[in-house]
Amino acid sequence: MAPTEFATSGHSVPNHWFRLDLGGHGRADGFFASALGLAFDAEDVRYRAPGRRRSATISLRKGVAPKDGPLFSWLHEASRNRVERKDCRVSLTDGSGETLLATWTITDAVPVRLGRRDVDDATGEGTIEDLMLVTDRLAVEFH
């Protein structure tokens, strides 16, 4: 799957992508037009060391992924209450989906929401309107 195939899904083609690598294997398991919540917060504790980090909620929107790929398999298992925490990476790329600009490493992610999913049996691709992940650990690397 390449980001150019996103155009056939009915979404407008952005000039950048958020590429999801589930499991950190270096392959693209999905492409998303936007990502929200790629930030981390710490509690403000006065007169002591910084507080513990709060959970981060990450929302990946307007995406496309192969229907028989690891992303849809993971989401299917989660829908059956078999939640497996996974490490993954979300990388901001250029319009081609190849040049990395920044990468967020998400440790022990759990899917908590899947909004509208459609699967095209002819192409084998699924579109995702909104995927929400929760994690306790998030790190960023700029390329």
Side-chain angles (χ1 to χ4, degrees):
M1 174 189 51
T4 53
E5 297 167 10
F6 188 81
T8 63
S9 68
H11 296 300
S12 60
V13 180
N15 58 3
H16 65 274
W17 292 100
F18 290 92
R19 182 175 76 183
L20 177 65
D21 173 5
L22 194 60
H25 301 293
R27 68 174 177 264
D29 294 315
F31 286 95
F32 294 84
S34 72
L36 304 172
L38 291 170
F40 45 88
D41 295 321
E43 294 178 16
D44 181 23
V45 180
R46 299 193 183 254
Y47 307 110
R48 289 190 263 174
R52 62 185 172 99
R53 284 190 175 178
R54 297 180 188 145
S55 295
T57 302
I58 300 156
S59 180
L60 302 170
R61 296 188 173 162
K62 296 185 180 178
V64 60
K67 72 174 183 180
D68 57 352
L71 177 57
F72 278 117
S73 176
W74 185 46
L75 295 172
H76 176 73
E77 290 300 312
S79 73
R80 300 178 68 198
N81 282 336
R82 297 184 196 162
V83 180
E84 179 183 351
R85 292 182 174 273
K86 291 204 179 258
D87 296 343
C88 54
R89 293 183 185 153
V90 174
S91 298
L92 173 63
T93 69
D94 64 357
S96 71
E98 297 298 322
T99 304
L100 300 179
L101 305 174
T103 299
W104 289 265
T105 301
I106 304 165
T107 305
D108 293 335
V110 175
V112 294
R113 182 177 188 279
L114 175 63
R116 200 171 135 243
R117 178 189 89 155
D118 297 320
V119 176
D120 183 347
D121 288 329
T123 64
E125 289 184 356
T127 58
I128 298 170
E129 192 61 33
D130 186 33
L131 169 62
M132 197 172 288
L133 306 174
V134 172
T135 183
D136 290 330
R137 294 192 323 197
L138 180 67
V140 64
E141 173 188 354
F142 297 98
H143 304 281

